[in-house]
Amino acid sequence: MSDGGGGPREERGFLAVDSGGSGLRVVVGVPGREPSAPQESREPVRTGARGIDPGHLLEQLLPMARALADSYGLERMTTAVVGAAGLAGLGDALRAELPGALARELGVRTVALAADAVTAYAGALGPRPGAVVAAGTGLIATGTDLTRWWRADGWGHLLGDCGSGAWIGRAGLEAALRAFDGRDGGSAALRAGAEERFGPLSGLPGQLYPRPDRPAVLASFAPRVADCAAAGDPVAAAILRAAARHMAESAAAVCPTAGEPLVALTGGLFKLGDPLLVPLAEELARLLPQARQVPAEGDPLHGAVRVASDLVTGRLTLPGDEKLLSVVHIKLVHTKGY
């Protein structure tokens, strides 16, 4: 068997998937060799009464996986790792149906299903003890001592995600409405920013409450809060200090206490820069004096690649967990192949 250049075709390949709020990102690869460039779908996988929809995920994933395998020179992918947002609470149908479907359609023999918090951890720190705060529209902290996992927050914008983009944006809009009403705690700068972004504030509830993407709309105001804080607005600066405190509290809740654990930050929210990062560094130093903050090495897709490569080579040391990281080994009876 050979690839297009006459060399041997690889057979110990893997499929790595990151399924998040903006769609799917998919790569294939072989341990020790640079993975393929990712293919992307801009359509998030649907959720419904059964949780994450396995059929909708497969509908998007299979054509990309087959095309990538062909262009990369893979005859067979033995291992698949799927990192999925919402897996812990919404993943029952995915856990029940996806391994068998990937075996039938692609010939995969080992399937790992991981919460996106776990692939974020693997991408940021790899197999090292510590804690990772993943923050974008939402927020979750994940930690491990390599024997078990801990998680904190990630409860969504109505019940938690404290310090997240949606949380910062909502707090900023509350301060804008306080200024609009003439109540204490308002910010004229945030009011001006909110009116520029949303129009007359009397119409803001009608713009927000009916929308299914309300968390993303709230989070879209977080950069304006950071801009106002950087310009010296004390209300905006206090919001970001409070967000930093919430993040550090979540990190402290999941961080191992023994040794010198590592702490990393990953996610788009940290692009807000110093107005958030400076108070966050102070809060982490206060609450986790034993930990060392390090830059994240990669993102959740990079983490899925790491887990897949370690599974193929038998070197996976991250702990299993029924809800957060489960590995299924499949006995093949019949496959369609590709």
Side-chain angles (χ1 to χ4, degrees), residues 13-17 25-29 61-62 64-66 68-69 74 77-82 102 106 108 110 112 301 304-305 308 312:
F14 59 76
L15 170 69
V17 182
R25 294 187 299 155
V26 182
V27 301
V28 300
L61 173 59
L62 292 176
M64 291 191 285
R66 290 172 175 138
L68 284 170
L74 282 179
M77 291 173 284
T78 63
T79 300
V81 173
V82 178
L102 292 176
L106 300 177
V108 169
T110 300
L301 182 59
V305 169
V312 171

Side-chain angles (χ1 to χ4, degrees), residues 266-299:
T266 185
L269 188 63
F270 299 109
K271 295 177 182 177
L272 295 183
D274 284 351
L276 176 62
L277 294 177
V278 169
L280 179 54
E282 295 170 355
E283 291 291 334
L284 288 171
R286 179 177 68 85
L287 293 178
L288 289 170
Q290 81 279 16
R292 178 165 58 94
Q293 188 175 336
V294 297
E297 294 178 353
D299 65 10

Side-chain angles (χ1 to χ4, degrees), residues 53-317:
D53 185 340
H56 191 226
L57 188 149
L58 288 164
E59 178 185 313
Q60 298 183 67
L61 173 59
L62 292 176
M64 291 191 285
R66 290 172 175 138
L68 284 170
D70 185 63
S71 63
Y72 192 77
L74 282 179
E75 181 175 321
R76 182 177 295 110
M77 291 173 284
T78 63
T79 300
V81 173
V82 178
L87 181 77
L90 299 171
D92 286 350
L94 213 60
R95 281 184 282 266
E97 299 178 21
L98 194 63
L102 292 176
R104 289 191 304 272
E105 298 292 338
L106 300 177
V108 169
R109 295 194 287 264
T110 300
V111 177
L113 296 178
D116 60 340
V118 168
T119 51
Y121 187 102
L125 290 182
R128 296 183 289 175
V132 170
V133 178
T137 296
L139 184 143
I140 188 168
T142 311
T144 183
D145 59 1
L146 301 186
T147 64
R148 57 166 293 185
W149 291 101
W150 297 276
R151 57 161 285 180
D153 213 337
W155 301 119
H157 76 291
L158 292 178
L159 298 176
D161 287 358
C162 298
S164 68
W167 187 95
I168 292 170
R170 188 211 57 78
L173 290 173
E174 180 186 345
L177 289 169
R178 284 180 173 274
F180 179 76
D181 291 342
R183 291 179 287 152
D184 289 343
S187 163
L190 289 171
R191 174 184 176 178
E195 289 172 339
E196 180 182 333
R197 170 71 175 81
F198 296 102
L201 293 189
S202 59
L204 185 58
Q207 289 194 50
L208 280 176
Y209 292 153
R211 293 185 63 150
D213 60 344
R214 183 169 59 244
V217 178
L218 290 170
S220 72
F221 194 62
R224 181 56 66 95
V225 178
D227 289 343
C228 289
D233 182 73
V235 174
I239 290 170
L240 292 182
R241 283 196 301 272
R245 184 175 63 254
H246 285 307
M247 289 181 186
E249 289 169 349
S250 290
V254 301
C255 192
T257 56
E260 187 186 30
L262 305 177
V263 176
L265 311 174
T266 185
L269 188 63
F270 299 109
K271 295 177 182 177
L272 295 183
D274 284 351
L276 176 62
L277 294 177
V278 169
L280 179 54
E282 295 170 355
E283 291 291 334
L284 288 171
R286 179 177 68 85
L287 293 178
L288 289 170
Q290 81 279 16
R292 178 165 58 94
Q293 188 175 336
V294 297
E297 294 178 353
D299 65 10
L301 182 59
H302 180 67
V305 169
R306 274 184 162 171
V307 172
S309 182
D310 286 349
L311 275 173
V312 171
T313 57
R315 296 186 307 214
L316 183 65
T317 56

